[in-house]
Every structure is written in C-alpha cells, then in structure tokens.
Amino acid sequence: MAEGLRERKKRQTRQYISDVATGLFLERGFDAVTVAEVARAADVSVNTVYNYFPAKEDLFLDRSRGVVDRLSRWVRGRRDGESAAAAVLRELREEVESVSPRLGLMDGYAAFMWVVHDSPALRSRMWAIGQEVVDNLEQTLREETATAADDPLPGLIAGQLSWLHGTVMSGIGQRMLAGGTPAGVSREMLLVLDEMEELLSERVLNYAVRGAG
C-alpha cells in the first residue's frame, strides 16, 4: 500500500531526529549528549523524541531493527536445496563482496565505531542486539524445521550462524577502526569467511536444507 501523508511525515520526523542526534554524538560522544540537547537541536520536545525512540541508545542505533531479523530473512529466503548455513554464508559473501554499507563497508564507519567504542551504554546495547539476533533466528529455525520447543538443536544452530554474522561485523568494525578502506576490508573479510566456513561441521552445513526429506 502507498504510504499515507501522515505516515510519511512521521517517518521523516523520526529520520530527522535520528540524523540530528547522530551528528551530535559523532561530534561530542554519546555519553556527553543528553536527550534534552537532541530535542533542542531538532526543535522538538523531549516527549516527541521519546515517542519515536524509547531509549537514548535507539537514537544512535536506529537501524538495529533491520539487523535483528537479518539472518531470519536470509534463512527464510534460502533456495531449493540450500541449507540455512549455506544461505547465510552466501548472503554474507554477497554483502561483503559488494562492499555493502549495510555491513559497515563505507567511508565514515570508523567514526561511528569510535562512538560505540567509547560508550559502555552503546556497547551493552550492541551485545543485547546480538542476543536478539540469536533468539530471533532460533525461533525461525524452529518454524522452518517444525522442531519441538524442547529440542535444543535450533538454538545451537542459531548460535553457530549468528557467530558467522557477528564475527564478520566485528571484524569489519575493527579493521575500519584501524584505518582500513572499505575495499581493502572487503577483501580481507572474504578470506575470513572462507576460514570460518571450514570450521563449521557437516551437521551445521547441512541443517534445514530446503526441500530435503
């Protein structure tokens, strides 16, 4: 359905507040900026900020919603004859090889990572997001394989696949902080992905093959 005027204005307001907040955080650091200062800079009330962003961390990690269900989307979209792990590996390789900004392969990402690095609150939220990724993927794997709720295997597989994604994201962040270029870091991470795939067991690599059985 086409986006209505009201929805578009709300989306634009949300994006504007996030952009203003991000600029302040990049300039002064996350912990040094208050929500009240963000509200003043964006010319909105503090209540308006909280209406769009329940917590201060959400102002900076505004795109985390897309990260939480990323692996689940990849698994649900796996091809015929493709396992959950194969789908995640393929999608990760395509993102890395294309130097995708969705993974942080872009100019300016180092500045973003410095803000996270210097803020215990943001580091804690990043960890929490990682846990949400695992939980979300575990539920997806249970649904895709019709596994009983007391079967531990979907959770174990979710942990392995989340390890792939988390290691790539962490590796990109570390290399960009160290002064790497998006293209150079992309090449390095493709090699890391090859090594990680070799560490996965056959049971993981062949789990939840679409169309099998």
Side-chain angles (χ1 to χ4, degrees):
M1 295 178 63
E3 184 181 39
L5 178 61
R6 178 181 173 83
E7 289 72 24
R8 183 167 70 252
K9 286 186 174 180
K10 289 177 65 175
R11 176 177 55 79
Q12 290 171 342
T13 298
R14 190 182 197 282
Q15 187 61 55
Y16 177 68
I17 294 171
S18 176
D19 290 346
V20 169
T22 298
L24 291 173
F25 296 146
L26 290 172
E27 179 183 348
R28 295 165 49 196
F30 182 78
D31 296 333
V33 178
T34 67
V35 173
E37 288 175 312
V38 171
R40 284 196 298 272
D43 196 24
V44 298
S45 70
V46 171
N47 284 341
T48 296
V49 174
Y50 280 119
N51 284 339
Y52 287 100
F53 303 94
K56 180 183 171 184
E57 291 82 3
D58 298 325
L59 284 161
F60 194 64
L61 301 174
D62 187 31
R63 298 182 182 179
S64 64
R65 293 173 300 171
V67 174
V68 168
D69 69 347
R70 177 184 286 165
L71 297 185
S72 287
R73 285 186 280 109
W74 289 350
V75 167
R76 290 194 188 97
R78 68 194 184 284
R79 300 165 179 171
D80 288 341
E82 189 174 50
S83 70
V88 170
L89 284 163
R90 173 177 55 78
E91 294 278 7
L92 273 175
R93 282 199 176 92
E94 289 176 359
E95 291 283 316
V96 173
E97 193 169 15
S98 66
V99 196
S100 172
R102 286 186 293 270
L103 298 186
L105 292 167
M106 60 182 179
D107 294 328
Y109 190 63
F112 172 89
M113 287 305 301
W114 274 119
V115 175
V116 175
H117 181 270
D118 290 340
S119 172
L122 286 177
R123 293 200 303 273
S124 177
R125 176 55 68 87
M126 292 283 276
W127 180 87
I129 290 170
Q131 292 302 114
E132 289 183 58
V133 171
V134 176
D135 294 342
N136 187 289
L137 180 57
E138 177 182 352
Q139 182 60 36
T140 295
L141 290 172
R142 288 191 186 281
E143 293 170 359
E144 291 290 304
T145 59
T147 304
D150 61 350
D151 189 328
L153 190 55
L156 296 175
I157 299 294
Q160 293 280 287
L161 302 188
S162 297
W163 166 72
L164 290 171
H165 179 260
T167 300
V168 168
M169 295 298 292
S170 176
I172 288 173
Q174 291 169 0
R175 286 165 174 78
M176 294 298 287
L177 278 173
T181 64
V185 172
S186 169
R187 290 191 294 271
E188 290 182 33
M189 292 313 300
L190 286 173
L191 296 176
V192 171
L193 264 171
D194 289 342
E195 296 206 8
M196 286 195 292
E197 181 173 3
E198 292 180 4
L199 294 174
L200 295 177
S201 71
E202 288 300 310
R203 192 175 185 188
V204 174
L205 290 170
N206 293 308
Y207 181 79
V209 174
R210 170 150 285 164

